[in-house]
Amino acid sequence: MSTQSLYSVPADIAANALVNNEQYQKMYQKSVANPEDFWGEHAKRIDWIKPFTQVKDTSYDDQNLYIKWFHDGTLNASANCLDRHLASKGDDIAIIWEGDDASEQRKVTYRELHAEVCQFANALKAQGVKRGDVVTIYMPMVVEATVAMLACARIGAVHSVVFGGFSPDSIASRVIDGKSKLLITADEGVRGGRKIPLKANIDEALSRPDVTTVESVIVLKRTGGAVNWVEGRDKWWHQVTDAAATDCPVEEMGAEDPLFLLYTSGSTGNPKGVLHTTGGYLVYAAMTHEYVFDYKPGEVYWCTADVGWITGHSYMVYGPLANGATILIHEGIPNFPSPARLGEIVDRHQVNILYTAPTLIRALMAEGKQHFDKFDGKSLRIMGSVGEPINPEAWRWYHEVIGHEHCPIVDTWWQTETGGILITPLPGATDTKPGSATRPFFGVQPALVDNEGNILEGATEGNLVLLDSWPGQMRTVYGDHERFVLTYFKTFRGMYFTGDGARRDEDGYYWITGRVDDVINVSGHRLGTAEVESALVAHDLVAEAAVVGYPHDIKGQGIYAYVTLTKGTEATEELRQELRQWVRKEIGALATPDLIQWASGLPKTRSGKIMRRFLRKIAANEITNLGDASTLADPSVIDTLIESRLNRA
Ligand code: WT7
């Protein structure tokens, strides 16, 4: 093993861990040599109503593609997260909740959570929600968001959580695609001391003439702020639940029945509805949560992700609760009201495992170590990172300042589509290298291929693919199976293509280098450049737009837009601000362009195709070595763009 910058597994962690390196090697070998036996055995961690007799039934042949796991078994996800814990840990804390304002605190036991979920499930039934219906959830980070998800799972409804930072238009397109009849929201959310008008956003989304399916909206009273009310359609959460029974039988679901939809951006078109099913997803989320975080009963586990993202689904709700963990939910942002907040929460609740994103670490780093002078942090044992590549500098800061140089860091690589973590260290087994996601989890077979799809061996760099299925994999794009096959299985036949590039070093460790498609990653949030472009060109004064990512100190990638205005339009600073606000309103704050460069022309081939590699380089301020511009219709465009580039860092 090459030793430059290697962090060995601490001896005390290795001694007590679920798996050490030797066990990892053995289990990994078994998992890929005989997936049937391996997963058949590990799927027993979940309670099945009717046990499965089939384990793996999958084909990556793009002419005949299917993915099924445990498909003749039946189960219920909510029963696995709640009911089965009642006898042994009914009085244990399931959720510790801390408000945006730290004076608001709440603790919920498994028994209480079970009762709340049952009540809400009964309320949903009373509103006419049936097995298979899609329910849209647009909620702040409150306990009730988890209650809503588990209540859907309990009655076999399919939840579709929309991140609370998305705009009315983004809500509308998801509601339309899911043909949702019922929406769950709150009057307002609270984040960083500010109120978020959730109900008002819902009203605006539902006022669009093309949103026709919604019959009811259930509204949680979070702040008591004034809301508009549509009689007959809108109902208060407390009114529909107060009289509801605290007991609700679970619906018996097939392993391959849908559990949820979650929309995510791709390189083209509208966000896709990623469909996850019940059995394989739950087995995979629970197993990875336990092994990757070396979770021990009684430990307090805090994932800072919002429930609107896949991390919130798999590693705040389903994985940890299926394992009977105590989870911490924080309503606000971990650097408000000051950068000390993260440390205060860890100390206040004696958090043992912390799972967060590089963008937050970089933001804290920029504010300085002094905010952690009073931080004790002795409760912390394991720390995770997710969402984007973590730069070694941020890794080391996380290790030293938050982890007191004793907590192993698990840099977990995965995607909305993968349902759970695929490449990651295991705390007791894997020596870590800052910036590397290291080795595959059990049953995961990564490979690197060249652009023709040839598998590359040894230390090399290429496109990251997966050679075989794992239980947590998405099953289809909701309502568009062809798009599923086309997006993931046609680029390299017989393999799942991740859209990421990666390097493998001489120790077999993977280093994710970032997206190789037109997807950008802003603060760990995924965006299609095409989505931002279509928002921009929807503005009357914009003739054409091209959007790329560029390196950003805190966000990882920032959004850089090249905009050509319609003839005669004056390029003013006001217009630039207006366009930023416009995109924010069309998609959501996370899509706001950081830089907008006025471009009289874009680099196009003679056939009219925009050559994005030039735009990426100019945005990154890499202006030497731009490459061959001779195929451009007008090569002089490049010089003009370079001259007025906005990033000179
Ligand atoms: C994309 C998936 C997985 C939940 C959060 C994001 C990037 C994710 C890492 C990591 C390097 C990472 C990839 C991936 N990514 N984790 N540890 N190291 N890159 O889910 O929104 O579906 O985005 O995030 O580019 O493809 P997502």
Side-chain angles (χ1 to χ4, degrees):
M1 162 102 35
S2 67
T3 50
Q4 94 286 4
S5 212
L6 190 75
Y7 289 71
S8 323
V9 175
D12 59 321
I13 298 275
N16 300 306
L18 282 165
V19 283
N20 59 30
N21 191 39
E22 206 181 308
Q23 289 162 320
Y24 166 79
Q25 302 285 0
K26 268 202 208 126
M27 280 173 78
Y28 182 77
Q29 283 317 321
K30 188 181 169 203
S31 73
V32 293
N34 196 338
E36 297 269 340
D37 279 4
F38 182 86
W39 289 112
E41 193 52 40
H42 284 281
K44 291 183 188 152
R45 61 180 305 123
I46 290 302
D47 281 359
W48 297 85
I49 298 171
K50 181 167 135 287
F52 53 87
T53 65
Q54 307 283 314
V55 176
K56 179 175 187 285
D57 192 4
T58 67
S59 154
Y60 274 9
D61 174 354
D62 63 346
Q63 299 304 308
N64 177 31
L65 188 117
Y66 53 89
I67 299 164
K68 288 186 259 178
W69 285 88
F70 319 114
H71 66 83
D72 61 349
T74 64
L75 75 163
N76 181 281
S78 148
N80 270 285
C81 291
L82 300 168
D83 306 48
R84 68 170 175 155
H85 304 316
L86 295 184
S88 61
K89 49 175 76 171
D91 297 319
D92 288 4
I93 304 295
I95 303 179
I96 302 170
W97 179 81
E98 174 161 321
D100 188 61
D101 179 337
S103 68
E104 287 188 86
Q105 302 272 336
R106 186 178 169 196
K107 287 195 169 120
V108 187
T109 65
Y110 270 96
R111 201 178 314 285
E112 290 162 346
L113 186 62
H114 174 263
E116 273 195 48
V117 168
C118 285
Q119 279 194 304
F120 195 66
N122 283 325
L124 288 176
K125 279 201 216 166
Q127 297 300 318
V129 177
K130 303 218 160 47
R131 181 184 175 122
D133 286 352
V134 175
V135 170
T136 301
I137 300 178
Y138 184 67
M139 294 275 276
M141 287 288 283
V142 290
V143 172
E144 287 82 356
T146 302
V147 171
M149 290 164 76
L150 293 176
C152 288
R154 196 162 189 92
I155 63 172
V158 181
H159 57 72
S160 165
V161 181
V162 178
F163 172 55
F166 277 128
S167 67
D169 271 351
S170 299
I171 302 167
S173 62
R174 286 157 172 80
V175 167
I176 293 168
D177 191 73
K179 298 176 220 44
S180 211
K181 281 190 287 195
L182 187 131
L183 262 158
I184 306 166
T185 190
D187 49 2
E188 296 174 309
V190 191
R191 251 171 84 84
R194 297 217 316 254
K195 306 257 168 76
I196 322 279
L198 298 175
K199 173 64 164 62
N201 287 348
I202 292 287
D203 290 336
E204 197 181 326
L206 297 190
S207 72
R208 281 184 27 167
D210 50 346
V211 183
T212 55
T213 52
V214 178
E215 290 161 11
S216 9
V217 180
I218 299 182
V219 187
L220 176 79
K221 194 172 258 183
R222 167 64 190 106
T223 64
V227 286
N228 164 51
W229 206 251
V230 178
E231 266 336 303
R233 186 197 73 182
D234 299 347
K235 285 128 202 172
W236 286 112
W237 176 293
H238 55 272
Q239 281 170 355
V240 295
T241 49
D242 275 358
T246 54
D247 179 32
C248 171
V250 302
E251 189 77 19
E252 181 175 353
M253 305 304 288
E256 286 301 335
D257 282 334
L259 179 60
F260 65 85
L261 292 180
L262 188 60
Y263 287 80
T264 194
S265 299
S267 41
T268 54
N270 289 329
K272 313 180 264 280
V274 168
L275 183 108
H276 281 290
T277 58
T278 311
Y281 172 80
L282 200 62
V283 167
Y284 198 77
M287 181 165 170
T288 45
H289 171 260
E290 184 178 6
Y291 282 91
V292 172
F293 299 102
D294 193 41
Y295 184 80
K296 304 279 167 49
E299 287 192 310
V300 177
Y301 165 89
W302 180 24
C303 166
T304 65
D306 191 280
V307 71
W309 309 110
I310 190 70
T311 310
H313 285 58
S314 303
Y315 298 113
M316 192 182 84
V317 178
Y318 286 110
L321 295 180
N323 291 336
T326 298
I327 65 170
L328 191 144
I329 299 178
H330 175 218
E331 183 180 39
I333 38 189
N335 47 359
F336 173 86
S338 89
R341 183 69 178 271
L342 180 101
E344 288 162 10
I345 296 179
V346 168
D347 285 343
R348 182 157 40 243
H349 302 290
Q350 292 294 291
V351 172
N352 305 111
I353 301 168
L354 172 67
Y355 192 26
T356 192
T359 185
L360 175 73
I361 298 163
R362 289 191 298 263
L364 293 175
M365 221 170 119
E367 299 280 352
K369 276 192 193 144
Q370 72 279 8
H371 295 286
F372 290 86
D373 285 350
K374 293 204 197 102
F375 174 52
D376 173 47
K378 292 294 176 324
S379 61
L380 279 181
R381 203 169 65 79
I382 310 287
M383 307 192 306
S385 171
V386 62
E388 52 175 316
I390 179 164
N391 46 312
E393 204 192 354
W395 195 103
R396 290 202 181 84
W397 192 91
Y398 193 27
H399 187 248
E400 283 162 30
V401 180
I402 313 289
H404 294 323
E405 301 188 8
H406 75 265
C407 300
I409 295 179
V410 288
D411 174 1
T412 62
W413 174 85
W414 58 299
Q415 312 179 296
T416 305
E417 294 89 335
T418 70
I421 295 163
L422 296 194
I423 302 183
T424 180
L426 298 184
T430 318
D431 295 337
T432 51
K433 301 182 192 183
S436 172
T438 77
R439 308 187 290 196
F441 189 73
F442 306 125
V444 175
Q445 297 186 54
L448 300 178
V449 298
D450 64 17
N451 289 340
E452 281 68 53
N454 302 304
I455 294 183
L456 308 168
E457 305 289 343
T460 185
E461 189 166 344
N463 301 297
L464 180 64
V465 297
L466 298 154
L467 300 178
D468 203 355
S469 183
W470 62 98
Q473 181 168 28
M474 78 182 278
R475 301 302 197 252
T476 191
V477 170
Y478 185 68
D480 197 349
H481 193 67
E482 248 173 71
R483 189 170 175 201
F484 176 59
V485 179
L486 186 71
T487 310
Y488 304 102
F489 298 94
K490 289 267 192 211
T491 319
F492 305 115
R493 296 188 78 174
M495 307 169 189
Y496 168 89
F497 178 40
T498 64
D500 279 324
R503 180 166 74 77
R504 188 173 48 224
D505 69 17
E506 56 285 1
D507 298 316
Y509 277 28
Y510 287 86
W511 302 70
I512 311 299
T513 50
R515 302 289 306 196
V516 296
D517 53 12
D518 289 321
V519 168
I520 51 180
N521 192 323
V522 183
S523 303
H525 299 147
R526 184 165 150 184
L527 265 180
T529 51
E531 279 172 81
V532 185
E533 287 163 6
S534 68
L536 281 167
V537 297
H539 191 283
D540 281 348
L541 300 177
V542 174
E544 206 167 17
V547 170
V548 296
Y550 75 101
H552 187 287
D553 283 349
I554 306 284
K555 302 182 186 185
Q557 281 190 300
I559 303 174
Y560 195 113
Y562 297 87
V563 169
T564 310
L565 295 170
T566 51
K567 264 218 168 57
T569 302
E570 205 190 329
T572 61
E573 197 47 40
E574 287 76 64
L575 182 55
R576 190 179 264 144
Q577 288 315 321
E578 185 182 321
L579 291 180
R580 297 182 77 229
Q581 288 310 313
W582 171 267
V583 175
R584 189 187 170 96
K585 206 183 139 286
E586 291 271 303
I587 304 175
L590 58 93
T592 317
D594 294 279
L595 298 173
I596 297 179
Q597 175 173 351
W598 305 123
S600 51
L602 294 170
K604 290 183 184 165
T605 59
R606 285 181 199 96
S607 60
K609 187 178 176 291
I610 296 176
M611 299 287 280
R612 291 167 167 280
R613 74 189 156 86
F614 292 111
L615 296 176
R616 281 192 209 106
K617 286 201 164 174
I618 295 169
N621 197 26
E622 284 169 22
I623 50 169
T624 51
N625 251 328
L626 276 181
D628 182 13
S630 64
T631 57
L632 293 180
D634 175 10
S636 76
V637 165
I638 298 287
D639 294 328
T640 317
L641 289 177
I642 289 176
E643 260 163 52
S644 50
R645 72 190 185 279
L646 297 176
N647 173 22
R648 293 176 188 252

